């Protein structure tokens, strides 16, 4: 069966200043690693032969209806503004409207150089491609807004980093690839007509109920509140929350040095390039506020008199910390079985987290063990947990559906860092069985299974991943 992708492109119809026309660079010997049949069906894509899929999603064949381009954007990277970034190793093939009526981008990552590559080769190696494939699909299964993985293809070429590594291309699907940095670049350049066009486009595509730039700002804020609180609830650390990695659609995007915590600590950092802890686990909510402020700074320039909307923009941004706190508390209360937040619950949750940090308790396993009745086993000093447990049991006496609520809020499985690294090492050696096993297990993260019981285990001392790296 011939592959049919029902493209319906709109971004490519915007003015050329938003992007550069760019076809993917062909590769030597594309071979399909994985294809997400369920997602393809959602996108209205009929499956073709593996060889055809490899050619298209490896970048050797531009499918009918595609209009490939590299998007332009800027961004604050670790707080410092970079005036021009853009898709340096990615090409947007086009958009499709799925069977659910939602418009989505289809993008190739690792597809070769673009005008924004900044002397890079535009390629990706196998490890980051598989990491993003596994983690993004795991996030989807956890119910967290995210970009998705449609395909992964080996290129048959060597990518040179510190040494030679096998090359690969990831096909990423997103509600869009509009970022805070997309707005920043036109605001910084004083291209207000382009900024207005972009704002109108974003509203029409994502938030049609929003009224004007401030309505867009408010909608993005609310989407980010839910996203960041969801990250916190599963112990996820993005690792590089630059404004060019902040999606205005409210999706998790750009899985570079990301990680899930094993032992809980609020200041945990994995990213090898985050030397100051700017994007540590506990800092993510305040960074989201900072990023929203950068979007506000761009959007207020659409007014002839920016001072006229400054108060409204300030109110929208300043409301975000409280909204984040409320969303965070709601999620963590659910994790301990509380359905209706009451006075004293913030202290109860905070005290548990403090005891977990002191007792070096595993984040995911501790919350799940609370449901299963053996949480004290997770703590180095169980007595400290016992005192908290007594208060908790007294609190939930007035709650109903406690067990079901906790079961929905606390996954059994997450993509643990050491399992990801083991999977990548096996794949580089030519064995994709660990990749396929992870994909199967993580598709049902809230289910207890003897078959995958080993994937619940935290890393042994010699398996601990101390640092994660950007997928370049």
């Amino acid at each position: 069966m011939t592959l049919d992708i029902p493209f319906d492109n709109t971004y490519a119809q915007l003015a050329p200043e938003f992007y550069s026309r760019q076809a993917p660079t062909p590769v030597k010997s594309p071979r399909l690693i994985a294809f997400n049949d369920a997602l393809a069906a959602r996108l209205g894509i009929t499956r073709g032969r593996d060889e055809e899929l490899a050619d298209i999603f490896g970048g050797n064949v531009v499918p009918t209806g595609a209009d490939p381009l590299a998007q332009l954007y800027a961004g604050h990277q670790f707080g410092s503004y970079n005036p021009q970034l853009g898709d340096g190793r990615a090409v947007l093939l086009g958009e499709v409207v799925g069977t659910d009526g939602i418009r989505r981008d289809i993008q190739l990552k690792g597809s070769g150089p673009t005008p924004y590559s900044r002397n890079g080769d535009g390629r990706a190696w196998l490890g980051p491609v598989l990491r993003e494939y596994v983690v993004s699909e795991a996030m989807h299964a956890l119910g967290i807004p995210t970009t998705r993985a449609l395909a992964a293809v080996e290129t048959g070429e060597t990518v040179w980093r510190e040494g030679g590594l096998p090359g690969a291309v990831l096909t990423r699907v997103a509600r869009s690839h509009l970022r805070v940095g997309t707005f920043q670049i036109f605001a910084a350049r004083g291209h207000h007509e382009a900024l207005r066009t972009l704002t109108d486009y974003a509203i029409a595509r994502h938030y049609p109920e929003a009224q004007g730039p401030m309505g867009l700002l408010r909608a993005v804020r609310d989407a980010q509140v839910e996203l960041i609180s969801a990250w916190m609830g599963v112990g996820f650390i993005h690792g590089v929350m630059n404004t060019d990695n902040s999606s205005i659609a409210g999706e998790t995007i750009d899985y570079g040095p990301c990680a899930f915590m094993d032992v809980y600590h609020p200041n945990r950092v994995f990213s090898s390039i985050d030397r100051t802890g700017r994007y540590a686990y506990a800092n993510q909510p305040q960074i989201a506020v900072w990023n929203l402020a950068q979007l506000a700074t761009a959007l207020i320039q659409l007014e002839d008199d920016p001072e006229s909307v400054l108060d409204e923009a300030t109110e929208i941004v300043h409301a975000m910390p409280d909204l984040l706190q409320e969303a965070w508390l709601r999620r963590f209360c659910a994790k301990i079985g509380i359905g209706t937040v009451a006075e004293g619950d913030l202290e109860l949750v905070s005290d548990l987290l403090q005891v977990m940090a002191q007792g070096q308790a595993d984040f995911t396993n501790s919350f799940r063990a609370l449901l299963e009745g053996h949480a004290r086993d997770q703590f180095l000093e169980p007595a400290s947990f016992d005192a908290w447990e007594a208060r908790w049991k007294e609190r939930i006496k007035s709650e109903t559906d406690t067990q079901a609520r906790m079961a929905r809020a606390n996954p059994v499985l997450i993509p643990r860092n050491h399992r990801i690294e083991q999977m990548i090492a096996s794949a580089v050696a030519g064995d994709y069985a660990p990749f396929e096993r992870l994909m199967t297990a993580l598709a049902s993260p809230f289910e207890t299974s003897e078959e995958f019981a080993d994937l619940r285990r935290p890393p042994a001392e010699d398996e601990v991943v101390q640092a994660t790296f950007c997928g370049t």
Side-chain angles (χ1 to χ4, degrees):
M1 180 181 293
T2 302
L3 186 70
D4 178 27
I5 304 177
F7 285 109
D8 181 56
N9 305 324
T10 60
Y11 199 80
Q13 296 173 19
L14 299 180
E17 63 187 308
F18 290 97
Y19 52 78
S20 293
R21 301 283 183 189
Q22 177 69 56
T25 303
V27 300
K28 179 181 178 181
S29 182
R31 186 179 79 85
L32 188 68
I33 300 169
F35 186 71
N36 192 333
D37 287 292
L39 177 58
R42 178 68 60 87
L43 299 176
I45 298 174
T46 56
R47 199 192 206 285
R49 296 174 294 105
D50 282 4
E51 294 79 9
E52 185 182 15
L53 294 172
D55 277 337
I56 289 175
F57 297 117
N60 283 17
V61 173
V62 176
T64 301
D67 199 350
L69 57 86
Q71 291 183 320
L72 174 65
Y73 48 85
H76 278 89
Q77 299 181 305
F78 289 88
S80 297
Y81 185 66
N82 189 322
Q84 180 171 305
L85 295 168
D87 291 332
R89 59 191 183 100
V91 167
L92 174 64
L93 287 181
E95 306 154 30
V96 298
V97 177
T99 58
D100 54 6
I102 296 175
R103 178 178 297 276
R104 296 179 178 90
D105 287 353
I106 299 179
Q107 182 198 66
L108 302 185
K109 289 186 65 179
S111 53
T114 78
Y116 314 122
S117 294
R118 304 182 296 281
N119 298 317
D121 61 10
R123 293 302 190 186
W125 76 275
L126 182 61
V129 166
L130 294 182
R131 177 188 295 274
E132 179 157 351
Y133 199 110
V134 170
V135 179
S136 63
E137 286 304 296
M139 291 284 271
H140 172 71
L142 288 166
I144 298 173
T146 179
T147 59
R148 302 283 307 275
L150 177 61
V153 174
E154 286 183 352
T155 65
E157 298 177 346
T158 298
V159 173
W160 294 97
R161 296 299 180 256
E162 294 181 354
L165 298 164
V169 177
L170 174 77
T171 302
R172 179 165 72 185
V173 174
R175 294 285 295 270
S176 81
H177 285 82
L178 299 180
R179 310 149 187 268
V180 171
T182 316
F183 292 79
Q184 287 183 285
I185 194 166
F186 298 111
R189 292 178 175 182
H191 294 180
H192 292 166
E193 283 307 309
L195 182 60
R196 188 175 305 281
T197 296
L198 180 65
T199 300
D200 291 344
Y201 178 84
I203 290 173
R205 182 161 179 176
H206 293 299
Y207 306 108
E209 73 287 353
Q211 297 294 315
M214 292 301 99
L216 175 62
L217 182 66
R218 194 180 302 273
V220 172
R221 179 199 65 188
D222 293 346
Q224 285 287 323
V225 162
E226 293 305 315
L227 177 65
I228 304 304
S229 63
W231 288 0
M232 302 299 283
V234 294
F236 177 75
I237 304 171
H238 185 278
V240 61
M241 287 179 66
N242 298 330
T243 56
D244 56 294
N245 294 333
S246 178
S247 163
I248 64 110
E251 291 183 322
T252 314
I253 191 170
D254 287 323
Y255 291 91
C258 66
F260 283 77
M261 279 194 296
D262 294 307
V263 171
Y264 171 74
H265 196 284
N267 297 326
R268 190 67 173 94
V269 174
F270 284 93
S271 172
S272 62
I273 58 175
D274 190 0
R275 298 180 179 88
T276 65
R278 176 181 175 87
Y279 300 140
Y281 170 76
N283 288 346
Q284 293 180 131
Q286 67 192 55
I287 291 297
V289 177
W290 195 91
N291 287 348
L292 188 77
Q294 311 318 307
L295 179 60
T297 300
L299 290 175
I300 63 174
Q301 295 189 32
L302 290 174
E303 297 292 333
D304 293 334
D305 178 15
E307 292 289 333
S308 65
V309 295
L310 186 58
D311 286 346
E312 183 178 3
T314 300
E315 177 272 323
I316 292 170
V317 174
H318 283 189
M320 193 175 185
D322 286 343
L323 293 172
L324 279 162
Q325 175 84 327
E326 291 170 8
W328 177 90
L329 183 57
R330 185 175 67 250
R331 286 183 180 273
F332 274 82
C333 278
K335 291 176 76 66
I336 62 173
I338 297 172
T340 303
V341 179
E343 185 177 355
D345 288 344
L346 175 59
E347 182 180 6
L348 186 66
V349 170
S350 300
D351 287 351
L352 173 60
L353 293 173
Q354 183 176 359
V355 171
M356 287 172 61
Q358 293 170 345
Q360 298 183 40
D362 182 88
F363 183 89
T364 301
N365 287 353
S366 293
F367 280 105
R368 190 71 190 191
L370 196 63
L371 166 64
E372 296 168 348
H374 53 87
R376 75 187 311 271
D377 298 340
Q378 299 291 324
F379 295 80
L380 290 180
E381 298 179 1
S384 62
F385 168 75
D386 292 341
W388 179 88
E389 184 182 36
R391 295 164 53 201
W392 169 65
K393 287 184 174 179
E394 183 64 27
R395 169 64 182 88
I396 62 172
K397 284 181 179 179
S398 60
E399 292 288 331
T400 58
D401 299 322
T402 300
Q403 295 286 304
R405 184 175 296 113
M406 294 173 71
R408 291 192 299 268
N410 295 306
V412 176
L413 298 177
I414 55 168
R416 291 187 180 270
N417 308 318
H418 66 298
R419 295 300 189 187
I420 294 286
E421 294 302 323
Q422 292 166 3
M423 174 272 293
I424 291 172
S426 293
V428 169
D431 179 11
Y432 282 94
F435 165 75
E436 293 165 358
R437 184 169 186 257
L438 274 182
M439 290 301 300
T440 299
L442 294 169
S444 303
F446 296 94
E447 295 181 10
T448 301
S449 167
E450 285 299 318
E451 180 184 0
F452 302 121
D454 59 302
L455 299 180
R456 296 184 66 173
R457 179 179 62 80
E461 188 174 346
D462 62 347
E463 295 176 322
V464 173
V465 174
Q466 300 292 353
T468 51
F469 300 86
C470 284
T472 54

